[in-house]
Amino acid sequence: MEEPADGRPAESSIVEMSIELLPADAEDAPSDVYQAAATLGLSPDIEWRGYMTRELGFGVRAAVATVRSWTGEVGAEELEDACAALTCVQSARVVSWTQCNDVCPFDLAWLHAPLRLDAQALAPSAPLARLPRLGLVSTFRAAPNLRSWIVFHLHVGVRAFYLYADSEADAAEARALAASLGAAGALIRVVDVDAALRREWEGLVGWRRYGPRLAEAGSSVMARQCLNAEHAMVHAGALLQRQADRRAAAIGTCDAQSDGLDAGRTGARSESAVCDWLCHCDVDELVCVRPHRPPLGIAGRTDADTLSALLAAAQAAGACAIQLANHEAALEATAHNAPGGASGEPLCALRAVADPFAELNLFKLNARVRAAGGLLARAHCAPSDRVGALGAPEAAEPSDACAFVQYDNGKAMARVGFGARPHGVHKWLLPRAAGCGVVLAAPDDLCVLHFCECSYPAFVQKYEALGDFPDTWFGQGVLPFRLRARDAARAGAAAMEALFRAEVVLADPECVIALLASGRCARVTKVCEVLAAAERKGASAPMREEFSF
């Protein structure tokens, strides 16, 4: 679900300005100057959408911020005067002013050809430490598969984890897990969602929009996620800027431990813990690199190498955000290469799936990119599935058999250091400037695998915990399946079981064959293979050797 345009006026009245903020002192970083201006509380009409930097010489950098006035009531002169009054700002000047339409660049990205990696981009080049790195931010409660989530993401090259724990017990377990993994080359930062963090939220640019939602049933979860994602982006930006400053001073790269990051919040530190990109990724989602390729890559290239090459290619294409398509895990009623069961063995549709990441490999492909995902669909068909495809099975394919039960508008990652902040949990607000475009990643190169509603006991527990939430969150309609699950939870156990069997479970193996043959579903075994290899090797030094952490 994305953030709504609550009460916004007709598009013709929208005004977008770029304002150059000159720092009062060379020690004032552009990020700090931007933060001070963006939290002025000048008018509810004003929306700050990020910034670029401009080198002025002698170590001084100005922040060139993008500001949107939804009604046009706040003019350039009023904005300049308010910003110039800040002690950290020497001068403020609006350098451009234009009327604009409220067209979301993330929505437009789906309409254009995706960014693809070619052989040249994957050729050995600079060492990994000099290429862009990815970080993830996630807010979680009771995440029994957090270990698998981290292990897999370490394999694909994620270098920073910002984990926001909704309870003290969750935080303690996450810190113990971080310590046990001993992940070289990665930062695992665990943050308690407590009163201290809430005070820090109040200093964020997004507080005015999300703060009031914290008290609303349903909306409060998303509000916390958005505030935590912005909090992580600010922290990651500070680390990145510190690294750049130290490089400029020829001191060396930033070291998270010597720079004194919160010892109580950080589970692991290293010199390469700085991330250049950040993605909001729930603990039931995996960012997957080349899902149809073997875990250890080809021609000596690991998934981590490929991920860095993808990020570098996006930067070279003038992008500061990447839109990722999501595919949704499907729960089968018969085993297919499942642990402990031969292919075709009946399974309980209402079973508890201990670790969906390690046990499930069938995915409904996102209809937005299904044509582009044809290669993925063909690449992971098992022999029995290929026979079904060639034999044109007689079984009728239900029209809604591969309909998503949750979202289908993907997830996005944004570059660190541009003041990007969450626009709901799927998108980011970005400055409007050269080098700040949005590209769609080719789904065969990079995608999100969403493991939602994969276990009946977890499904029941989830909707019992959500309770009797309203029909709208953030002023928008809740996804239809969630409303049906809420109503089933009200009605009782029989209604919950009936809904789960009807809309979640793929009970007919012939239907699965038909879905695979049509390219509407695909088998992705990479996650299972990575986690199985990690289990064999152990999650410490030997695993690092195989997966090149």
Side-chain angles (χ1 to χ4, degrees), residues 460-486:
V460 172
Q461 183 180 19
K462 172 183 176 179
Y463 285 96
E464 286 178 348
L466 285 173
D468 195 18
F469 54 84
D471 290 353
T472 60
W473 291 355
F474 274 80
Q476 288 188 323
V478 177
L479 289 169
F481 177 81
R482 290 181 183 174
L483 294 179
R484 291 194 291 274
R486 177 203 63 187

PDB file of all heavy atoms in Angstrom, residues 460-486:
ATOM      1  N   VAL A 460      -3.557 -17.505  10.844  1.00  0.00           N
ATOM      2  CA  VAL A 460      -4.548 -17.299  11.897  1.00  0.00           C
ATOM      3  C   VAL A 460      -4.008 -16.328  12.950  1.00  0.00           C
ATOM      4  O   VAL A 460      -4.702 -15.384  13.375  1.00  0.00           O
ATOM      5  CB  VAL A 460      -4.929 -18.637  12.544  1.00  0.00           C
ATOM      6  CG1 VAL A 460      -5.817 -18.423  13.772  1.00  0.00           C
ATOM      7  CG2 VAL A 460      -5.641 -19.527  11.525  1.00  0.00           C
ATOM      8  N   GLN A 461      -2.766 -16.542  13.356  1.00  0.00           N
ATOM      9  CA  GLN A 461      -2.164 -15.681  14.381  1.00  0.00           C
ATOM     10  C   GLN A 461      -2.072 -14.232  13.902  1.00  0.00           C
ATOM     11  O   GLN A 461      -2.326 -13.295  14.658  1.00  0.00           O
ATOM     12  CB  GLN A 461      -0.776 -16.213  14.734  1.00  0.00           C
ATOM     13  CG  GLN A 461      -0.076 -15.438  15.833  1.00  0.00           C
ATOM     14  CD  GLN A 461       1.298 -16.005  16.145  1.00  0.00           C
ATOM     15  OE1 GLN A 461       1.875 -16.734  15.348  1.00  0.00           O
ATOM     16  NE2 GLN A 461       1.831 -15.671  17.303  1.00  0.00           N
ATOM     17  N   LYS A 462      -1.724 -14.044  12.636  1.00  0.00           N
ATOM     18  CA  LYS A 462      -1.568 -12.699  12.075  1.00  0.00           C
ATOM     19  C   LYS A 462      -2.871 -11.906  12.147  1.00  0.00           C
ATOM     20  O   LYS A 462      -2.891 -10.754  12.610  1.00  0.00           O
ATOM     21  CB  LYS A 462      -1.093 -12.807  10.624  1.00  0.00           C
ATOM     22  CG  LYS A 462      -1.076 -11.498   9.856  1.00  0.00           C
ATOM     23  CD  LYS A 462      -0.646 -11.738   8.410  1.00  0.00           C
ATOM     24  CE  LYS A 462      -0.716 -10.481   7.577  1.00  0.00           C
ATOM     25  NZ  LYS A 462      -0.262 -10.729   6.172  1.00  0.00           N
ATOM     26  N   TYR A 463      -3.956 -12.508  11.714  1.00  0.00           N
ATOM     27  CA  TYR A 463      -5.209 -11.753  11.664  1.00  0.00           C
ATOM     28  C   TYR A 463      -5.894 -11.664  13.022  1.00  0.00           C
ATOM     29  O   TYR A 463      -6.689 -10.747  13.256  1.00  0.00           O
ATOM     30  CB  TYR A 463      -6.125 -12.327  10.579  1.00  0.00           C
ATOM     31  CG  TYR A 463      -5.621 -11.909   9.214  1.00  0.00           C
ATOM     32  CD1 TYR A 463      -4.801 -12.748   8.470  1.00  0.00           C
ATOM     33  CD2 TYR A 463      -5.895 -10.640   8.710  1.00  0.00           C
ATOM     34  CE1 TYR A 463      -4.289 -12.349   7.237  1.00  0.00           C
ATOM     35  CE2 TYR A 463      -5.391 -10.230   7.487  1.00  0.00           C
ATOM     36  CZ  TYR A 463      -4.585 -11.084   6.763  1.00  0.00           C
ATOM     37  OH  TYR A 463      -4.070 -10.670   5.561  1.00  0.00           O
ATOM     38  N   GLU A 464      -5.559 -12.566  13.935  1.00  0.00           N
ATOM     39  CA  GLU A 464      -5.999 -12.384  15.309  1.00  0.00           C
ATOM     40  C   GLU A 464      -5.296 -11.184  15.931  1.00  0.00           C
ATOM     41  O   GLU A 464      -5.906 -10.398  16.664  1.00  0.00           O
ATOM     42  CB  GLU A 464      -5.732 -13.649  16.128  1.00  0.00           C
ATOM     43  CG  GLU A 464      -6.683 -14.795  15.824  1.00  0.00           C
ATOM     44  CD  GLU A 464      -6.364 -16.045  16.627  1.00  0.00           C
ATOM     45  OE1 GLU A 464      -5.266 -16.086  17.241  1.00  0.00           O
ATOM     46  OE2 GLU A 464      -7.185 -16.984  16.643  1.00  0.00           O
ATOM     47  N   ALA A 465      -3.999 -11.032  15.613  1.00  0.00           N
ATOM     48  CA  ALA A 465      -3.236  -9.905  16.154  1.00  0.00           C
ATOM     49  C   ALA A 465      -3.679  -8.571  15.543  1.00  0.00           C
ATOM     50  O   ALA A 465      -3.744  -7.554  16.235  1.00  0.00           O
ATOM     51  CB  ALA A 465      -1.742 -10.121  15.903  1.00  0.00           C
ATOM     52  N   LEU A 466      -3.995  -8.577  14.244  1.00  0.00           N
ATOM     53  CA  LEU A 466      -4.435  -7.338  13.593  1.00  0.00           C
ATOM     54  C   LEU A 466      -5.785  -6.879  14.121  1.00  0.00           C
ATOM     55  O   LEU A 466      -6.071  -5.667  14.156  1.00  0.00           O
ATOM     56  CB  LEU A 466      -4.512  -7.542  12.075  1.00  0.00           C
ATOM     57  CG  LEU A 466      -3.186  -7.591  11.324  1.00  0.00           C
ATOM     58  CD1 LEU A 466      -3.409  -7.957   9.863  1.00  0.00           C
ATOM     59  CD2 LEU A 466      -2.460  -6.247  11.421  1.00  0.00           C
ATOM     60  N   GLY A 467      -6.631  -7.826  14.524  1.00  0.00           N
ATOM     61  CA  GLY A 467      -7.900  -7.463  15.128  1.00  0.00           C
ATOM     62  C   GLY A 467      -8.899  -6.894  14.136  1.00  0.00           C
ATOM     63  O   GLY A 467      -8.813  -7.112  12.919  1.00  0.00           O
ATOM     64  N   ASP A 468      -9.823  -6.124  14.660  1.00  0.00           N
ATOM     65  CA  ASP A 468     -10.929  -5.593  13.864  1.00  0.00           C
ATOM     66  C   ASP A 468     -10.531  -4.241  13.256  1.00  0.00           C
ATOM     67  O   ASP A 468     -11.064  -3.192  13.627  1.00  0.00           O
ATOM     68  CB  ASP A 468     -12.168  -5.449  14.746  1.00  0.00           C
ATOM     69  CG  ASP A 468     -13.436  -5.253  13.938  1.00  0.00           C
ATOM     70  OD1 ASP A 468     -13.416  -5.562  12.724  1.00  0.00           O
ATOM     71  OD2 ASP A 468     -14.443  -4.783  14.506  1.00  0.00           O
ATOM     72  N   PHE A 469      -9.613  -4.269  12.298  1.00  0.00           N
ATOM     73  CA  PHE A 469      -9.106  -3.022  11.715  1.00  0.00           C
ATOM     74  C   PHE A 469     -10.133  -2.432  10.747  1.00  0.00           C
ATOM     75  O   PHE A 469     -11.014  -3.139  10.227  1.00  0.00           O
ATOM     76  CB  PHE A 469      -7.757  -3.255  11.021  1.00  0.00           C
ATOM     77  CG  PHE A 469      -7.740  -4.351   9.997  1.00  0.00           C
ATOM     78  CD1 PHE A 469      -8.147  -4.123   8.689  1.00  0.00           C
ATOM     79  CD2 PHE A 469      -7.296  -5.621  10.329  1.00  0.00           C
ATOM     80  CE1 PHE A 469      -8.121  -5.134   7.733  1.00  0.00           C
ATOM     81  CE2 PHE A 469      -7.271  -6.645   9.392  1.00  0.00           C
ATOM     82  CZ  PHE A 469      -7.687  -6.404   8.089  1.00  0.00           C
ATOM     83  N   PRO A 470     -10.025  -1.139  10.452  1.00  0.00           N
ATOM     84  CA  PRO A 470     -10.997  -0.478   9.567  1.00  0.00           C
ATOM     85  C   PRO A 470     -10.792  -0.839   8.100  1.00  0.00           C
ATOM     86  O   PRO A 470      -9.806  -1.486   7.732  1.00  0.00           O
ATOM     87  CB  PRO A 470     -10.724   1.015   9.809  1.00  0.00           C
ATOM     88  CG  PRO A 470      -9.291   1.067  10.235  1.00  0.00           C
ATOM     89  CD  PRO A 470      -9.056  -0.188  11.029  1.00  0.00           C
ATOM     90  N   ASP A 471     -11.715  -0.393   7.266  1.00  0.00           N
ATOM     91  CA  ASP A 471     -11.657  -0.701   5.835  1.00  0.00           C
ATOM     92  C   ASP A 471     -10.586   0.106   5.105  1.00  0.00           C
ATOM     93  O   ASP A 471     -10.240  -0.223   3.957  1.00  0.00           O
ATOM     94  CB  ASP A 471     -13.011  -0.414   5.166  1.00  0.00           C
ATOM     95  CG  ASP A 471     -14.078  -1.406   5.586  1.00  0.00           C
ATOM     96  OD1 ASP A 471     -13.742  -2.388   6.280  1.00  0.00           O
ATOM     97  OD2 ASP A 471     -15.251  -1.193   5.229  1.00  0.00           O
ATOM     98  N   THR A 472     -10.095   1.152   5.728  1.00  0.00           N
ATOM     99  CA  THR A 472      -9.086   2.004   5.091  1.00  0.00           C
ATOM    100  C   THR A 472      -7.879   2.170   6.002  1.00  0.00           C
ATOM    101  O   THR A 472      -8.013   2.245   7.228  1.00  0.00           O
ATOM    102  CB  THR A 472      -9.656   3.398   4.756  1.00  0.00           C
ATOM    103  OG1 THR A 472     -10.094   4.037   5.966  1.00  0.00           O
ATOM    104  CG2 THR A 472     -10.820   3.296   3.786  1.00  0.00           C
ATOM    105  N   TRP A 473      -6.702   2.210   5.396  1.00  0.00           N
ATOM    106  CA  TRP A 473      -5.452   2.567   6.064  1.00  0.00           C
ATOM    107  C   TRP A 473      -4.872   3.748   5.306  1.00  0.00           C
ATOM    108  O   TRP A 473      -4.801   3.732   4.068  1.00  0.00           O
ATOM    109  CB  TRP A 473      -4.455   1.406   6.037  1.00  0.00           C
ATOM    110  CG  TRP A 473      -4.833   0.221   6.877  1.00  0.00           C
ATOM    111  CD1 TRP A 473      -5.897   0.114   7.719  1.00  0.00           C
ATOM    112  CD2 TRP A 473      -4.148  -1.028   6.958  1.00  0.00           C
ATOM    113  NE1 TRP A 473      -5.932  -1.114   8.319  1.00  0.00           N
ATOM    114  CE2 TRP A 473      -4.857  -1.852   7.866  1.00  0.00           C
ATOM    115  CE3 TRP A 473      -3.008  -1.550   6.360  1.00  0.00           C
ATOM    116  CZ2 TRP A 473      -4.457  -3.145   8.179  1.00  0.00           C
ATOM    117  CZ3 TRP A 473      -2.619  -2.850   6.672  1.00  0.00           C
ATOM    118  CH2 TRP A 473      -3.334  -3.636   7.575  1.00  0.00           C
ATOM    119  N   PHE A 474      -4.461   4.755   6.031  1.00  0.00           N
ATOM    120  CA  PHE A 474      -3.887   5.943   5.397  1.00  0.00           C
ATOM    121  C   PHE A 474      -4.841   6.534   4.352  1.00  0.00           C
ATOM    122  O   PHE A 474      -4.419   7.031   3.320  1.00  0.00           O
ATOM    123  CB  PHE A 474      -2.539   5.615   4.732  1.00  0.00           C
ATOM    124  CG  PHE A 474      -1.382   5.701   5.679  1.00  0.00           C
ATOM    125  CD1 PHE A 474      -1.111   4.655   6.539  1.00  0.00           C
ATOM    126  CD2 PHE A 474      -0.581   6.819   5.725  1.00  0.00           C
ATOM    127  CE1 PHE A 474      -0.050   4.723   7.422  1.00  0.00           C
ATOM    128  CE2 PHE A 474       0.478   6.895   6.603  1.00  0.00           C
ATOM    129  CZ  PHE A 474       0.745   5.856   7.456  1.00  0.00           C
ATOM    130  N   GLY A 475      -6.132   6.415   4.605  1.00  0.00           N
ATOM    131  CA  GLY A 475      -7.092   7.012   3.691  1.00  0.00           C
ATOM    132  C   GLY A 475      -7.332   6.214   2.427  1.00  0.00           C
ATOM    133  O   GLY A 475      -8.064   6.657   1.549  1.00  0.00           O
ATOM    134  N   GLN A 476      -6.727   5.038   2.319  1.00  0.00           N
ATOM    135  CA  GLN A 476      -6.898   4.194   1.137  1.00  0.00           C
ATOM    136  C   GLN A 476      -7.543   2.868   1.521  1.00  0.00           C
ATOM    137  O   GLN A 476      -7.415   2.411   2.653  1.00  0.00           O
ATOM    138  CB  GLN A 476      -5.547   3.909   0.468  1.00  0.00           C
ATOM    139  CG  GLN A 476      -4.953   5.098  -0.258  1.00  0.00           C
ATOM    140  CD  GLN A 476      -3.725   4.689  -1.053  1.00  0.00           C
ATOM    141  OE1 GLN A 476      -2.952   3.853  -0.612  1.00  0.00           O
ATOM    142  NE2 GLN A 476      -3.543   5.271  -2.215  1.00  0.00           N
ATOM    143  N   GLY A 477      -8.211   2.259   0.555  1.00  0.00           N
ATOM    144  CA  GLY A 477      -8.828   0.969   0.805  1.00  0.00           C
ATOM    145  C   GLY A 477      -7.801  -0.110   1.082  1.00  0.00           C
ATOM    146  O   GLY A 477      -6.751  -0.173   0.435  1.00  0.00           O
ATOM    147  N   VAL A 478      -8.075  -0.949   2.058  1.00  0.00           N
ATOM    148  CA  VAL A 478      -7.196  -2.069   2.385  1.00  0.00           C
ATOM    149  C   VAL A 478      -7.329  -3.128   1.291  1.00  0.00           C
ATOM    150  O   VAL A 478      -8.384  -3.273   0.664  1.00  0.00           O
ATOM    151  CB  VAL A 478      -7.575  -2.651   3.760  1.00  0.00           C
ATOM    152  CG1 VAL A 478      -6.724  -3.868   4.102  1.00  0.00           C
ATOM    153  CG2 VAL A 478      -7.415  -1.581   4.838  1.00  0.00           C
ATOM    154  N   LEU A 479      -6.257  -3.868   1.034  1.00  0.00           N
ATOM    155  CA  LEU A 479      -6.300  -4.933   0.029  1.00  0.00           C
ATOM    156  C   LEU A 479      -7.485  -5.870   0.289  1.00  0.00           C
ATOM    157  O   LEU A 479      -7.727  -6.252   1.439  1.00  0.00           O
ATOM    158  CB  LEU A 479      -4.989  -5.730   0.056  1.00  0.00           C
ATOM    159  CG  LEU A 479      -3.748  -5.011  -0.476  1.00  0.00           C
ATOM    160  CD1 LEU A 479      -2.492  -5.805  -0.152  1.00  0.00           C
ATOM    161  CD2 LEU A 479      -3.862  -4.790  -1.974  1.00  0.00           C
ATOM    162  N   PRO A 480      -8.216  -6.254  -0.749  1.00  0.00           N
ATOM    163  CA  PRO A 480      -9.443  -7.044  -0.566  1.00  0.00           C
ATOM    164  C   PRO A 480      -9.245  -8.334   0.228  1.00  0.00           C
ATOM    165  O   PRO A 480     -10.083  -8.686   1.056  1.00  0.00           O
ATOM    166  CB  PRO A 480      -9.885  -7.339  -2.000  1.00  0.00           C
ATOM    167  CG  PRO A 480      -9.329  -6.204  -2.803  1.00  0.00           C
ATOM    168  CD  PRO A 480      -8.024  -5.866  -2.160  1.00  0.00           C
ATOM    169  N   PHE A 481      -8.124  -9.041  -0.025  1.00  0.00           N
ATOM    170  CA  PHE A 481      -7.919 -10.294   0.706  1.00  0.00           C
ATOM    171  C   PHE A 481      -7.791 -10.036   2.199  1.00  0.00           C
ATOM    172  O   PHE A 481      -8.295 -10.816   3.025  1.00  0.00           O
ATOM    173  CB  PHE A 481      -6.671 -11.016   0.195  1.00  0.00           C
ATOM    174  CG  PHE A 481      -6.365 -12.278   0.966  1.00  0.00           C
ATOM    175  CD1 PHE A 481      -7.034 -13.455   0.685  1.00  0.00           C
ATOM    176  CD2 PHE A 481      -5.424 -12.279   1.992  1.00  0.00           C
ATOM    177  CE1 PHE A 481      -6.772 -14.617   1.409  1.00  0.00           C
ATOM    178  CE2 PHE A 481      -5.156 -13.425   2.715  1.00  0.00           C
ATOM    179  CZ  PHE A 481      -5.830 -14.605   2.424  1.00  0.00           C
ATOM    180  N   ARG A 482      -7.148  -8.938   2.584  1.00  0.00           N
ATOM    181  CA  ARG A 482      -7.005  -8.630   4.006  1.00  0.00           C
ATOM    182  C   ARG A 482      -8.375  -8.374   4.642  1.00  0.00           C
ATOM    183  O   ARG A 482      -8.613  -8.765   5.795  1.00  0.00           O
ATOM    184  CB  ARG A 482      -6.095  -7.421   4.191  1.00  0.00           C
ATOM    185  CG  ARG A 482      -4.645  -7.689   3.852  1.00  0.00           C
ATOM    186  CD  ARG A 482      -3.799  -6.463   4.072  1.00  0.00           C
ATOM    187  NE  ARG A 482      -2.407  -6.698   3.676  1.00  0.00           N
ATOM    188  CZ  ARG A 482      -1.480  -5.763   3.656  1.00  0.00           C
ATOM    189  NH1 ARG A 482      -1.780  -4.510   3.982  1.00  0.00           N
ATOM    190  NH2 ARG A 482      -0.242  -6.053   3.285  1.00  0.00           N
ATOM    191  N   LEU A 483      -9.252  -7.718   3.909  1.00  0.00           N
ATOM    192  CA  LEU A 483     -10.595  -7.479   4.440  1.00  0.00           C
ATOM    193  C   LEU A 483     -11.355  -8.790   4.593  1.00  0.00           C
ATOM    194  O   LEU A 483     -12.066  -9.001   5.589  1.00  0.00           O
ATOM    195  CB  LEU A 483     -11.352  -6.526   3.517  1.00  0.00           C
ATOM    196  CG  LEU A 483     -10.807  -5.092   3.427  1.00  0.00           C
ATOM    197  CD1 LEU A 483     -11.635  -4.275   2.449  1.00  0.00           C
ATOM    198  CD2 LEU A 483     -10.787  -4.427   4.799  1.00  0.00           C
ATOM    199  N   ARG A 484     -11.207  -9.678   3.618  1.00  0.00           N
ATOM    200  CA  ARG A 484     -11.882 -10.968   3.724  1.00  0.00           C
ATOM    201  C   ARG A 484     -11.315 -11.798   4.885  1.00  0.00           C
ATOM    202  O   ARG A 484     -12.057 -12.507   5.576  1.00  0.00           O
ATOM    203  CB  ARG A 484     -11.760 -11.738   2.403  1.00  0.00           C
ATOM    204  CG  ARG A 484     -12.562 -11.104   1.263  1.00  0.00           C
ATOM    205  CD  ARG A 484     -12.703 -12.049   0.086  1.00  0.00           C
ATOM    206  NE  ARG A 484     -11.438 -12.284  -0.603  1.00  0.00           N
ATOM    207  CZ  ARG A 484     -10.955 -11.507  -1.570  1.00  0.00           C
ATOM    208  NH1 ARG A 484     -11.623 -10.419  -1.950  1.00  0.00           N
ATOM    209  NH2 ARG A 484      -9.816 -11.811  -2.170  1.00  0.00           N
ATOM    210  N   ALA A 485     -10.003 -11.697   5.092  1.00  0.00           N
ATOM    211  CA  ALA A 485      -9.386 -12.415   6.215  1.00  0.00           C
ATOM    212  C   ALA A 485      -9.841 -11.820   7.544  1.00  0.00           C
ATOM    213  O   ALA A 485     -10.088 -12.558   8.512  1.00  0.00           O
ATOM    214  CB  ALA A 485      -7.867 -12.360   6.097  1.00  0.00           C
ATOM    215  N   ARG A 486      -9.956 -10.503   7.606  1.00  0.00           N
ATOM    216  CA  ARG A 486     -10.472  -9.865   8.828  1.00  0.00           C
ATOM    217  C   ARG A 486     -11.884 -10.354   9.138  1.00  0.00           C
ATOM    218  O   ARG A 486     -12.204 -10.708  10.278  1.00  0.00           O
ATOM    219  CB  ARG A 486     -10.468  -8.349   8.642  1.00  0.00           C
ATOM    220  CG  ARG A 486     -11.051  -7.558   9.811  1.00  0.00           C
ATOM    221  CD  ARG A 486     -11.531  -6.196   9.361  1.00  0.00           C
ATOM    222  NE  ARG A 486     -12.615  -6.278   8.391  1.00  0.00           N
ATOM    223  CZ  ARG A 486     -13.117  -5.223   7.730  1.00  0.00           C
ATOM    224  NH1 ARG A 486     -12.611  -4.020   7.950  1.00  0.00           N
ATOM    225  NH2 ARG A 486     -14.110  -5.388   6.865  1.00  0.00           N
TER     226      ARG A 486
END
